[in-house]
Structure formats: C-alpha cells, structure tokens
C-alpha cells in the first residue's frame, strides 16, 4: 500500500469517528481500467497520484443543497473523476504556454471544491514538475489569490491526516477547533519539496510574471535550504533588468526567513549603486532584527534618496536602536539628525527625552521641527 493510500485511510478513519456524515457522501473507488476509460481523451497524462486518489474513492455525491457533500479534506470536497474530465480547463487558453496563475504549469485538473463557488483546488499537470503540486485559490473580481499549496497529493494527505489526528479538537458540543500546530505540520511535509521546486525554477528561463509565484512559495515554506542559493542570487552581478528582478526577490525573501547568514550579504547590499536595492536591503535587515545592521543603517540615514533614508529609519525603529540613534543626534549631517530624532520619537523610549531636549536649539530649522515632534510623542507616553 502506498504512502498516499495509507494517509487517505487515516483520514477516512478519523472521519468515520468524528464526521460520519461526510463518509456517507463518498463514492466507491474506481478500477484502473475504469479510470483509463474516463481519461483516455484528455490531452495530458494524469499523475500516478491522481489514479491512486480515485482508486481510493471516486469523489463525493452532491446533495440538493450547496453544503450537502463530503468535506473530506478539511473543508474541501473532491469531484468524481468523470466530472473533473468534463470540467477540465486548460490553464493556457488551449495553447502550450505557461500560465502565470498559481503555478507555471501548462495544464491543471480541477478536482477540489468548497461551499464557496469562487474557491477551487487543482492538481498541476506538468511533466517537468514531479511530484505534481496541488494548489488552492479563490478567484473573484478578475483575479485569483492563493489559499493553500501542497508539494503533492501525498504530502497534502499526510498533512491533513496529521492535522486531523493532532491539531483538531472536538469540544463537548461537537465543534471543531484547529491548533496553531497545524502550520508546523504543513511545513514538516511540504516545505522542503516546495523550496526545492522553487529554486529549480529560479535556475531556469521563466517569465518574470512567474517570479511572484516562486516568491510566494519561498515565503510560505520558510525553509533554511533556500538561504544559500538566495545569497548567491543576491551577490550575482546585474547585467539585465531581469537580473535586478531576481535580486529583488532574493532580498525580500531573505528578510523573511530569519536566518543570520543573510545579514552580512544584506549589509553589503546597502552600498549598492541602485537605490531600490539599498531600500530593499534596509527593509529586510529591519525584519531580521540583527544588531550588526545598526551601524550601517545609521550611515544610510544620509543616503541621497529620501525613500532610502525613510526605510533606514524604519529599520532602526524595528531594531529598537535607542542608544545608537541618540548618538546620531550629534551627527554633522542634517538628514541623519532629522531621521534619528524621528525614529526616537516613534520608539518612545524615555532615555531619548534629555538628548532630544538638548537638540531643541539646533541651527537647522528642520531638525528643530523633528525634535519638537519627537518630544511631543515621547511626552504623550511618559
């Protein structure tokens, strides 16, 4: 018995105990011959996991009401294979070009649905992606937003089975609640594979529009294996506009992964000739919260670009760099004194009151105004 089928049986066992009505809506499974007959006219070969899913059960019966179906997988039901074949939609408008929605696959097979008609789940059908990922999205107002993603049908069912057994609780009234441990369960089964696939795509020729999808995957997975490849992308020289887009992705994701290995390369990026790179690096360093970034960010307060100054100030606020900012109040550069005063006013630490008061008679009127606003905010709190 495959890992997928074992996980499906764990789900079935849990449903039989806690939600038996869902089980009553499930259709019996199909034979391989029956599946072959149903899908023989499809223009693509279905992944092996889809065969296994429909051998287990052939989707859910639909009742007369919208909510009458088996929510087999969390709140998702899955359609009988014959309906999936009829409703099969080419994600490329019937020509073999990548489709920049949720994945860079040529085709997808819509299998999953919820009580909300705008929600859908599909298995990506692309021979270059093994195993085939599973994507869930909500589509309205001409656009789609991602709800969830799994590395494969197997990891999806392992995740749901584990969540049912360890992250769902039933109270005395029969209501179900989800534990925050659910996120850790998802990462245990999906993060590594999703990051591996995303990094592989970064080394291929892909549409720039699809970088959004890759970035979303890396942000979602938050896996340490992405750090070194992203640092390499960050450190590559820029020859084309496309290179700048890849570099921007690397900077943004590194700022979200919380890994100290990214600090030094991001500090170096503060010296880049492109102001957008300096801006992004400052933001990511603020997110990482490493004190090594404080001195370089203080220097960045005198950047020639106002937007970069503002982001450096924001990063220093996130780092709670009170003492270094107090010292920066005596900096010879006017912009540094203004940004330092502004940051201290927003941090609202009482240690800054006296140093700011001493700067009230600064020779520059803009500095005096910044000090006045900062002291007002500090005195409001204290």
């Amino acid at each position: 018995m495959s890992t997928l089928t074992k996980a499906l049986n764990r789900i079935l066992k849990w449903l039989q105990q806690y939600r038996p009505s869902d089980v009553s809506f499930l259709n019996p499974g199909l034979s391989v011959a029956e599946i072959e007959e149903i899908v023989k006219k499809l223009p693509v070969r279905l992944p092996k996991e889809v065969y296994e899913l429909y051998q287990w059960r052939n989707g859910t019966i639909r009742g007369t009401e919208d909510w009458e179906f088996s929510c087999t997988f969390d709140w998702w039901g899955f359609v009988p294979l014959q309906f999936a074949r009829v409703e099969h939609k080419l994600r490329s408008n019937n020509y073999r070009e990548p489709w920049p929605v949720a994945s860079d696959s040529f085709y997808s097979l819509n299998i999953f649905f919820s009580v909300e008609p705008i929600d859908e789940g599909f298995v990506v059908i692309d021979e270059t992606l093994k195993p085939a990922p599973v994507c869930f999205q909500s589509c309205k107002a001409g656009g789609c937003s991602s709800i969830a993603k799994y590395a494969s049908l197997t990891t999806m069912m392992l995740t749901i089975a584990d969540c049912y057994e360890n992250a769902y609780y039933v109270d005395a009234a029969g209501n179900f609640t989800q534990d925050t441990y659910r996120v850790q369960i998802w990462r245990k089964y999906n993060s590594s594979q999703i990051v591996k696939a995303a990094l592989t795509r970064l080394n291929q020729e892909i549409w720039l529009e699809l970088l959004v999808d890759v970035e979303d995957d890396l942000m979602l997975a938050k896996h340490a294996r992405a750090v070194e490849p992203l640092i390499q992308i960050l450190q590559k020289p820029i020859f084309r506009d496309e290179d700048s887009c890849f570099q921007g992705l690397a900077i943004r994701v590194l700022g979200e992964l919380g890994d100290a290995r990214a600090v030094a390369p991001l500090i170096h990026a503060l010296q880049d000739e492109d102001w957008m790179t300096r801006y992004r690096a400052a933001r990511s360093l603020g997110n990482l919260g490493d004190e090594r970034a404080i001195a370089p960010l203080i220097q960045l307060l005198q950047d020639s670009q106002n937007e970069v100054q503002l982001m450096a100030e924001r990063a220093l606020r996130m780092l709670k760099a009170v003492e270094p900012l107090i010292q920066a109040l005596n900096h010879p550069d006017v912009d540094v004194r203004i940004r330092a005063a502004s940051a201290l006013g927003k941090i609202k630490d009482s240690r800054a009151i006296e140093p700011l008061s001493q700067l009230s008679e600064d020779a520059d009127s803009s500095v005096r105004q910044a000090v006045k606003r900062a002291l007002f905010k500090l005195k409001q709190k204290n």
Side-chain angles (χ1 to χ4, degrees):
M1 188 181 296
S2 71
T3 302
L4 172 57
T5 302
K6 289 178 181 178
L8 288 166
N9 286 337
R10 287 167 59 195
I11 291 170
L12 181 63
K13 181 179 179 181
W14 188 90
L15 290 172
Q16 287 170 335
Q17 181 175 356
Y18 295 107
R19 297 200 323 231
S21 61
D22 283 316
V23 178
S24 67
F25 280 95
L26 289 172
N27 290 308
L30 301 170
S31 67
V32 173
E34 289 172 323
I35 294 173
E36 290 285 3
E37 179 63 24
I38 291 171
V39 304
K40 64 182 180 181
K41 292 185 179 180
L42 285 178
V44 290
R45 178 71 180 175
L46 294 184
K48 179 183 176 182
E49 288 181 316
V50 175
Y51 275 68
E52 289 188 35
L53 173 63
Y54 282 101
Q55 285 177 271
W56 178 73
R57 294 292 186 275
N58 185 28
T60 176
I61 300 168
R62 300 293 295 268
T64 55
E65 301 291 341
D66 289 343
W67 49 268
E68 289 184 312
F69 63 89
S70 174
C71 294
T72 318
F73 312 119
D74 282 340
W75 58 89
W76 297 95
F78 71 117
V79 298
L81 184 58
Q82 57 270 32
F83 295 161
R85 180 201 62 189
V86 171
E87 297 176 2
H88 175 252
K89 299 177 181 178
L90 296 180
R91 293 278 163 182
S92 54
N93 282 347
N94 296 316
Y95 62 89
R96 290 183 64 83
E97 290 293 340
W99 181 256
V101 175
S103 87
D104 59 350
S105 64
F106 293 130
Y107 305 104
S108 66
L109 184 71
N110 291 355
I111 292 178
F112 304 103
F113 67 95
S114 77
V115 70
E116 295 290 342
I118 60 175
D119 296 343
E120 64 178 359
F122 53 90
V123 178
V124 174
I125 306 173
D126 186 341
E127 293 180 358
T128 66
L129 295 176
K130 292 182 180 179
V134 185
C135 303
F136 293 86
Q137 62 186 21
S138 179
C139 298
K140 58 183 177 180
C144 295
S145 58
S146 177
I147 298 174
K149 186 170 185 176
Y150 297 90
S152 65
L153 273 172
T154 296
T155 64
M156 173 183 167
M157 301 312 168
L158 285 169
T159 301
I160 293 173
D162 202 336
C163 285
Y164 278 171
E165 294 165 354
N166 300 299
Y168 274 37
Y169 301 94
V170 186
D171 61 21
N175 298 314
F176 293 89
T177 58
Q178 298 181 19
D179 193 281
T180 53
Y181 180 54
R182 178 182 175 82
V183 175
Q184 298 176 40
I185 293 174
W186 180 91
R187 288 188 176 142
K188 177 171 71 173
Y189 295 110
N190 297 275
S191 286
S192 181
Q193 290 186 45
I194 285 179
V195 167
K196 181 180 178 181
L199 294 174
T200 298
R201 282 187 283 173
L202 282 179
N203 292 319
Q204 299 172 342
E205 288 292 327
I206 64 172
W207 288 10
L208 290 181
E209 291 87 342
L210 297 176
L211 282 179
V212 176
D213 190 36
V214 173
E215 183 172 341
D216 287 346
D217 286 351
L218 293 171
M219 294 280 201
L220 179 68
K222 292 188 184 298
H223 199 284
R225 72 182 294 176
V227 175
E228 290 297 338
L230 289 172
I231 289 174
Q232 292 174 15
I233 292 172
L234 170 59
Q235 295 174 333
K236 283 182 179 179
I238 302 296
F239 297 113
R240 310 168 299 168
D241 290 341
E242 289 84 352
D243 297 331
S244 180
C245 294
F246 279 82
Q247 185 191 71
L249 177 149
I251 292 173
R252 288 190 295 272
V253 177
L254 286 170
E256 296 295 328
L257 294 183
D259 195 296
R261 289 174 291 172
V263 175
L266 287 170
I267 288 175
H268 186 266
L270 295 178
Q271 304 170 31
D272 196 275
E273 62 181 20
D274 178 45
W275 75 267
M276 278 299 298
T277 298
R278 302 194 301 273
Y279 175 92
R280 291 168 180 150
R283 180 171 187 164
S284 287
L285 286 166
N287 291 339
L288 288 173
D290 193 297
E291 291 185 354
R292 287 176 290 171
I294 291 176
L297 287 167
I298 291 287
Q299 290 299 313
L300 204 65
L301 292 175
Q302 54 187 317
D303 194 274
S304 58
Q305 197 74 26
N306 184 61
E307 290 86 348
V308 178
Q309 294 180 19
L310 288 169
M311 186 50 66
E313 177 194 324
R314 174 184 179 273
L316 288 163
R317 294 201 316 267
M318 294 177 72
L319 287 161
K320 303 291 185 185
V322 177
E323 292 297 338
L325 285 167
I326 288 174
Q327 295 174 20
L329 293 174
N330 298 315
H331 198 282
D333 187 279
V334 169
D335 287 334
V336 174
R337 299 201 299 277
I338 292 171
R339 298 300 178 201
S342 175
L344 287 167
K346 292 172 182 174
I347 294 174
K348 297 182 179 179
D349 190 298
S350 60
R351 287 175 291 171
I353 294 177
E354 184 177 346
L356 283 167
S357 299
Q358 294 173 2
L359 202 63
S360 298
E361 302 301 323
D362 192 274
D364 188 275
S365 61
S366 296
V367 174
R368 295 196 301 271
Q369 286 295 321
V371 168
K372 183 178 179 180
R373 288 192 293 269
L375 285 170
F376 177 76
K377 291 176 181 177
L378 278 162
K379 289 174 180 177
Q380 275 187 320
K381 178 183 179 182
N382 294 282

